[in-house]
Amino acid sequence: MSGFFVNAALISLLTLIAFLAIRLHRLFAVVMLSGAFSLVAATLFVVLDAVDVAFTEAAVGAGISTILALATLSLVPANEKPHDFAFVPAFLAFATAAMLAVAVADLPAFGDVNAPIHNHVAPDYLKGSAEDIAIPNVVTSVLASYRGFDTLGETVVVFTAAIAVLLVLGGWTRRKEDGEDDNA
Amino acid sequence: METVFAITLIALGIAATLAIIRATIGPTSFDRVLAVNTIGSIAVLLIAVYGFFDGRPEFLDIALLYALINFIGTIAILKFFRFGTLGDHGLHEEGDEQ
């Protein structure tokens, strides 16, 4: 029961940060709040026992994303332009949220041992990991061997995204400058 | 002992809320940087205290990771203030100093 209160408090904090970030028009403050959002979200993931997700959220969401957003901030004006209330995006967002809320009702209960995710291939992975892969860490054997192609695809996606971001943030101009002073 | 941890968690929650308010209204950018750094520190403490509150303090190393990321993030933000950019000019000036 105490876990419920901790979760509720963390989700309330997340909602508060999200609303404030939407309301603010000073972009630097929005970047700061998004970093805070990621840290609180990562804390929520730790509380929910999704430790690997929390690691990723803290490293990517709070670390890299904040730094990338700051790098972008140096290329754009400091304040958001005032604009009218955007009805179509707001409607789409609310419709998606409503559909997700309806879908949540059909999910298995949190930690349910009879949930499909625990009865499909997970038992085979847990039993066969030591013999098939011969390394003690089951998570590593699932990521690097059972779902090796999946992981490769994810790595390619992340790599492509990194290249695209570097190009957008001025990779072209830097290459010209590097040609002059050999600063690679 | 669990009561102590529960009270600590509540206090940390209140502190996080206050830090979020400061990050929102903070008149200068430095107030906001400090507020976000504080929120990071509170997240570190929250993970540690919740681990002991739950009876499973195995995730303390994650708290350490958060502390490191918090530090690096603050350095990046302050570098943004110092050089006005994180990209070309910042790298360029470092290269010139060497």
Side-chain angles (χ1 to χ4, degrees):
Chain A
M1 199 60 200
S2 56
F4 171 78
F5 286 115
V6 174
N7 288 339
L10 284 174
I11 290 176
S12 310
L13 275 182
L14 285 179
T15 319
L16 175 69
I17 297 175
F19 267 111
L20 292 175
I22 291 172
R23 295 297 301 169
L24 281 177
H25 291 285
R26 198 174 148 69
L27 291 177
F28 180 78
V30 175
V31 171
M32 292 294 94
L33 280 178
S34 79
F37 185 92
S38 288
L39 276 171
V40 177
T43 311
L44 181 63
F45 290 144
V46 171
V47 172
L48 288 175
D49 270 349
V51 184
D52 49 341
V53 184
F55 254 101
T56 316
E57 178 67 38
V60 176
I64 306 291
S65 294
T66 307
I67 293 170
L68 286 179
L70 278 176
T72 314
L73 213 55
S74 63
L75 303 175
V76 298
N79 289 304
E80 187 182 353
K81 279 184 207 160
H83 56 77
D84 295 335
F85 185 75
F87 283 102
V88 176
F91 174 75
L92 282 178
F94 275 110
T96 313
M99 281 193 286
L100 287 174
V102 170
V104 163
D106 280 343
L107 286 179
F110 182 71
D112 185 5
V113 286
N114 294 318
I117 185 80
H118 298 308
N119 293 318
H120 185 224
V121 287
D124 295 337
Y125 287 172
L126 289 174
K127 277 181 205 149
S129 171
E131 293 168 15
D132 293 348
I133 321 291
I135 50 175
N137 191 331
V138 181
V139 175
T140 307
S141 71
V142 169
L143 282 179
S145 182
Y146 286 117
R147 297 184 190 163
F149 283 115
D150 190 32
T151 306
L152 181 66
E154 287 172 9
T155 318
V156 169
V157 168
V158 172
F159 183 66
T160 315
I163 291 175
V165 167
L166 283 179
L167 289 180
V168 169
L169 293 182
W172 294 113
T173 56
R174 189 189 297 167
R175 184 185 289 172
K176 280 179 203 159
E177 287 174 5
D178 283 350
E180 295 167 10
D181 56 14
D182 211 11
N183 193 16
Chain B
M1 199 62 194
E2 201 162 87
T3 320
V4 177
F5 289 133
I7 294 171
T8 315
L9 282 177
I10 294 170
L12 285 174
I14 294 170
T17 316
L18 292 176
I20 289 168
I21 292 171
R22 176 51 66 193
T24 312
I25 63 173
T28 71
S29 297
F30 293 104
D31 287 321
R32 297 195 164 107
V33 174
L34 205 55
V36 170
N37 199 7
T38 309
I39 292 169
S41 305
I42 291 171
V44 171
L45 291 172
L46 208 64
I47 291 167
V49 173
Y50 185 78
F52 285 103
F53 174 72
D54 210 25
R56 294 177 306 154
E58 290 98 19
F59 298 147
L60 280 180
D61 48 347
I62 296 177
L64 285 178
L65 173 88
Y66 283 18
L68 286 174
I69 287 173
N70 205 14
F71 176 69
I72 294 171
T74 310
I75 294 286
I77 294 163
L78 293 178
K79 191 183 172 191
F80 176 75
F81 275 122
R82 173 69 177 79
F83 297 108
T85 172
L86 290 169
D88 295 341
H89 295 292
L91 290 174
H92 218 77
E93 288 183 31
E94 274 183 355
D96 289 343
E97 284 166 9
Q98 283 169 0

